[in-house]
Amino acid sequence: MRLLTPQHPARLVAIGFALAVAVGTVLLMLPIATESGDSAPPVTALFTATSAVCVTGLVVVDTGSYWSTFGELVILALIQVGGLGIMTLASLLGLLVARRMGLRMQLVAQAETKSLRLGESKRVVVGVIALSLAVEAVIAAVLTGRFLTGYDESFGRALYLGIFHSVSAYNNAGFSLYPDSLVPFATDLWIIAPIVVGFVFGGLGFPVMFEAGRHLLHWLRRAEERITGWSLHTKITVWTYAGLALLGAVSITAIEWSNAATLGPLDGVGKLVTGVFAGLSPRTAGFNSIDVGAMHPSSLLITDMLMFVGGGSAGTAGGIKVTTFALLAFVVIAEVRGEPSVHVVGRKLAPAVQRQAITVVLLGAGAVIVGTLAIMLMTEYRLEVVMFEVVSAFATVGLSTGITADLPAGAQVLLVVLMFIGRLGPITLATALALRERTRRYEYPEERPIVG
């Protein structure tokens, strides 16, 4: 029974998500799940189920035309389970690590023990579910109204489209019932804006949203008691997320401005709206409002970098996370300055956290390199195209240049593995490293090898 003890939370998370993928695969292989009435091939069902549970959005068949309503509802349920599951479990694992390390976490009240108590876990689970459903409901209402009034859809169809795309957006899944994603609505702010709000809120993570909501309620109530400032985690997440979003929006808009296959045919406002969306979506949202395969190679490279970094911790976004990226940047700055320790916004960064960040980044980069090399050996596609698919899978983004469906079965299975590793890897690895931290009783003599 050692598997079920608190010392193995990362293993439990992996097993739980693997079971969800297995159940989803079986359901999608049922004849009732396809429009044709035929059973979906095992690789197609496995790929779709993994993409949904891992809230990625990569597909090998068109979601709206290949799957029946039953199949689409299965995919929607898998997205919701995967999104809520990863957000809840990541928050609980973060809380467990905080207690193990003896630190105060802004998510809940100060604990007196190093274990995760039932009351605290209940608050986290209830908070995640309540926040998620509330945001999804608001976005679904706006989208439903727009589909109903702007595109002559019946109320039932508009409601269905609104709910599906709302859940997909908030969970950063990127699944769409349209064959070209959001290209038909590229300049429609009543569609684009709610989608952006959804994946930004989901991508920031529950701890950040919880803390922001707590400060907002305090301000609205004009409470007299003093409330503490933003936590270090929230500051790093918000500022880094905003900075990378601005970088992506500006750079991609500038590069694609005159591209006749992407932003070129649009007017000035349309170019700005579509370009900004193209810069925000790589934060693992997965929706596209332009033809990704027609983008300039430099835009693809920038998108690769944005996808690899991803969004906030304990959220529905993937990637190595913006906090990991920011912490490494502070480590580099401190080393360049010759400072003996790393300080971030008035706080000293523990050496263990620095090592964990480096480990997550290097292992992530290794997975991308190995995956890219393997698929290039299986196919004849260009490096930038293959790397784009691999990074999109590992970072659970869902953007594609259009080659996913044409890849051989072996390459698609490899993308399945990358999606699963990318979704659970950074979270479980960081948790395992933190929980395994121990004090060394002795040290060897120090020596400095030549670096560089």
Side-chain angles (χ1 to χ4, degrees):
M1 296 296 292
R2 287 176 56 83
L3 180 65
L4 301 180
T5 60
Q7 283 75 20
H8 301 277
R11 195 179 304 174
L12 285 174
V13 173
I15 292 175
F17 272 76
L19 290 175
V21 170
V23 171
T25 301
V26 171
L27 291 176
L28 290 177
M29 288 182 65
L30 297 175
I32 194 178
T34 64
E35 286 286 1
S36 65
D38 299 325
S39 296
V43 174
T44 299
L46 173 64
F47 192 99
T48 305
T50 305
S51 184
V53 172
C54 297
V55 291
T56 304
L58 284 176
V59 295
V60 291
V61 293
D62 176 49
T63 304
S65 61
Y66 184 86
W67 303 107
S68 65
T69 301
F70 174 81
E72 292 170 359
L73 291 176
V74 170
I75 293 173
L76 188 65
L78 294 176
I79 292 172
Q80 190 71 284
V81 169
L84 288 178
I86 203 68
M87 186 177 284
T88 302
L89 291 171
S91 298
L92 289 174
L93 290 175
L95 186 58
L96 176 61
V97 170
R99 295 299 174 263
R100 180 71 174 268
M101 302 296 290
L103 300 177
R104 182 185 185 278
M105 191 174 184
Q106 295 291 330
L107 188 61
V108 292
Q110 173 69 46
E112 297 176 356
T113 65
K114 294 182 180 179
S115 61
L116 184 59
R117 297 183 299 186
L118 179 61
E120 295 176 349
S121 61
K122 181 178 179 181
R123 289 186 63 185
V124 172
V125 173
V126 172
V128 168
I129 295 176
L131 175 66
S132 300
L133 295 181
V135 174
E136 289 173 355
V138 172
I139 296 173
V142 177
L143 292 177
T144 299
R146 184 55 178 169
F147 284 124
L148 182 64
T149 60
Y151 297 93
D152 296 325
E153 299 283 0
S154 65
F155 177 77
R157 179 63 178 174
L159 180 63
Y160 182 66
L161 291 171
I163 293 176
F164 189 96
H165 290 90
S166 172
V167 173
S168 183
Y170 178 76
N171 291 286
N172 278 243
F175 278 87
S176 175
L177 296 178
Y178 295 91
D180 46 3
S181 191
L182 300 182
V183 173
F185 318 105
T187 58
D188 188 345
L189 285 176
W190 286 102
I191 298 293
I192 295 299
I195 295 292
V196 171
V197 171
F199 68 67
V200 168
F201 277 26
L204 286 174
F206 176 69
V208 173
M209 296 305 299
F210 182 91
E211 187 171 346
R214 187 166 60 92
H215 281 72
L216 178 61
L217 287 176
H218 177 274
W219 179 79
L220 291 175
R221 293 172 180 174
R222 300 184 182 279
E224 296 181 358
E225 67 274 12
R226 180 179 181 272
I227 188 169
T228 58
W230 297 105
S231 67
L232 177 62
H233 171 77
T234 297
K235 291 177 181 177
I236 292 177
T237 300
V238 171
W239 284 109
T240 308
Y241 191 104
L244 291 176
L246 180 62
L247 173 64
V250 172
S251 57
I252 293 179
T253 301
I255 294 172
E256 299 296 326
W257 189 269
S258 301
N259 188 341
T262 55
L263 300 185
L266 303 175
D267 59 21
V269 175
K271 291 180 179 180
L272 291 175
V273 171
T274 309
V276 168
F277 187 84
L280 293 176
S281 190
R283 313 323 304 279
T284 82
F287 292 103
N288 64 283
S289 58
I290 57 175
D291 183 4
V292 176
M295 293 173 64
H296 192 275
S298 57
S299 296
L300 293 179
L301 180 58
I302 293 173
T303 304
D304 282 338
M305 295 185 291
L306 294 174
M307 291 191 298
F308 185 75
V309 174
S313 301
T316 55
I320 62 170
K321 303 299 186 296
V322 293
T323 47
T324 305
F325 174 78
L327 292 179
L328 284 183
F330 284 114
V331 170
V332 171
I333 293 173
E335 185 64 27
V336 170
R337 291 178 175 178
E339 298 175 351
S341 57
V342 181
H343 292 82
V344 182
V345 196
R347 294 290 186 271
K348 181 180 178 181
L349 192 62
V353 176
Q354 302 174 40
R355 296 194 301 270
Q356 291 163 19
I358 293 173
T359 302
V360 169
V361 172
L362 291 181
L363 290 180
V368 169
I369 293 173
V370 171
T372 302
L373 178 61
I375 294 181
M376 288 189 67
L377 292 174
M378 299 180 195
T379 67
E380 297 181 356
Y381 289 109
R382 302 189 312 275
L383 171 62
E384 67 267 20
V385 176
V386 174
M387 180 176 291
F388 191 94
E389 299 295 308
V390 170
V391 174
S392 182
F394 172 78
T396 68
V397 180
L399 291 175
S400 173
T401 56
I403 70 171
T404 307
D406 298 325
L407 293 174
Q412 292 178 355
V413 172
L414 179 57
L415 291 181
V416 167
V417 175
L418 286 171
M419 285 189 286
F420 194 83
I421 293 175
R423 176 70 277 181
L424 300 178
I427 296 173
T428 55
L429 177 61
T431 302
L433 290 174
L435 293 178
R436 284 173 59 87
E437 185 176 354
R438 62 193 66 178
T439 302
R440 184 187 293 272
R441 297 183 178 179
Y442 61 91
E443 292 287 351
Y444 289 109
E446 181 177 312
E447 187 171 347
R448 296 178 63 91
I450 299 174
V451 177

